[in-house]
């Protein structure tokens, strides 16, 4: 059904009932997780799409470096995407200029800041994302920094939504698709890895469904924010299915059977405030008021 870890508890009982007929099962066994195919959103077949890399400055990823030996580069955005309001375009250009200056650019996520929505979908690259489906909520877990996103299976948003890192997400199933509607997002987050900003008017609708025989999870994203964008736009993200395996006594690979044996491990983010080998980076968040 799904996995449960120390950082995640579903509302009420920890016993998860079977899914209703026709509802997509994003965790057919306890070891099933998802890795993103790309750190950038895929544009739609037509219409307005997300900010994309600048073709004049090709990005060489670490994976490409390992395969070809080419010098890795930091991705640069195309600031001329017509979806951007002038002030938002200026913010994207500011980051580009930092890259061109030769400075090392670390994402806010690398400094332990929550990524927000929809950038959450770009993050499970080095460690998988897990999805727990319960009767009242769906929980998505980024194991890279133990970030937990909760989607409540409800028809209406909370009466008084206050801005938060992951906003107020409500969801429902439409056939084989989980539809998620999110508002109330903190405007300190970005919508992508290019530091494309947004305002508190950001409204995101995501549609999650399985393709390729359940081996690929696709998210179709619709974004509206008249404060930051000149028009609504759409994007796509895809994830490949990952399952933990272990070697048995004769050396053969076998699928792990229980959550305790699976790959969900804790990654402690903020224990070292002087990381990044002394390089300049965003200050790590600190809790000024105790939780207890």
């Amino acid at each position: 059904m799904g996995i449960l870890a120390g950082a995640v508890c579903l509302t009420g009982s920890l016993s998860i009932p079977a899914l209703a007929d026709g509802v997509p099962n994003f965790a057919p066994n306890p070891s099933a997780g998802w890795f993103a195919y790309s750190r950038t959103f895929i544009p739609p077949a037509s219409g307005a799409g997300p900010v994309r890399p600048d073709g004049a400055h090709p990005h060489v990823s670490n994976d490409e470096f390992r395969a070809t030996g080419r010098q890795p580069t930091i991705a640069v955005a195309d600031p001329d995407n017509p979806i951007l309001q002038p002030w938002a375009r200026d913010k994207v250009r500011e980051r580009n200029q930092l890259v061109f200056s030769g400075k090392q650019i670390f994402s806010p996520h690398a400094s332990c800041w929550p990524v927000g929505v929809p950038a959450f979908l770009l993050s499970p690259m080095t460690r998988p994302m897990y999805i727990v489906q319960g009767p009242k909520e769906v929980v998505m877990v980024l194991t890279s920094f133990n970030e937990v996103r909760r989607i409540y299976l409800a028809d209406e948003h909370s009466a008084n939504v206050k801005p938060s890192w992951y906003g107020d997400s409500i969801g429902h199933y439409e056939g084989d698709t989980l539809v998620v509607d999110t508002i109330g997002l903190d405007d300190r987050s970005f919508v992508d890895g290019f530091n494309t900003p947004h305002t508190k008017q950001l409204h995101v609708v995501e549609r999650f469904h399985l393709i390729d025989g359940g081996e690929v999870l696709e998210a179709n994203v619709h974004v509206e924010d008249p404060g930051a964008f000149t028009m609504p736009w759409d994007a796509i993200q895809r994830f490949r299915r990952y399952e933990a395996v272990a070697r048995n006594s004769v050396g053969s690979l076998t699928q792990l059977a229980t959550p305790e044996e699976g790959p969900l491990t804790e990654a402690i983010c903020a224990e070292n405030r002087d990381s990044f080998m002394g390089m300049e980076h965003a200050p790590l968040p600190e809790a000024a008021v105790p939780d207890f």
Side-chain angles (χ1 to χ4, degrees), residues 73 116 127 149 159 167 186 232 253 272 282 291:
T73 61
R127 291 194 178 203
R149 180 184 175 196
D186 193 305
L253 292 177
N272 180 11
D291 295 330

Side-chain angles (χ1 to χ4, degrees), residues 23-28 32-38 41-42 120-122 124 128-133 138-142 149 151 173 176-180 206-221 235-242:
V23 171
N25 190 345
F26 301 128
W34 302 96
F35 274 104
Y37 274 105
S38 173
F41 284 116
I42 303 166
F120 184 95
L121 302 177
L122 301 174
M129 171 182 70
Y130 291 97
I131 301 176
V132 185
Q133 292 167 267
V138 175
V139 178
M140 296 183 175
V141 185
L142 289 181
R149 180 184 175 196
I151 299 159
Y173 293 103
D176 64 354
T177 300
L178 171 65
V179 182
V180 181
E206 302 151 287
R207 301 178 67 89
F208 296 89
H209 63 283
L210 297 169
I211 60 176
D212 293 348
E215 294 302 311
V216 175
L217 173 64
E218 182 173 272
N220 300 102
V221 186
I236 302 166
Q237 177 61 306
R238 297 189 181 103
F239 310 83
R240 62 179 175 85
R241 182 168 155 182
Y242 166 87

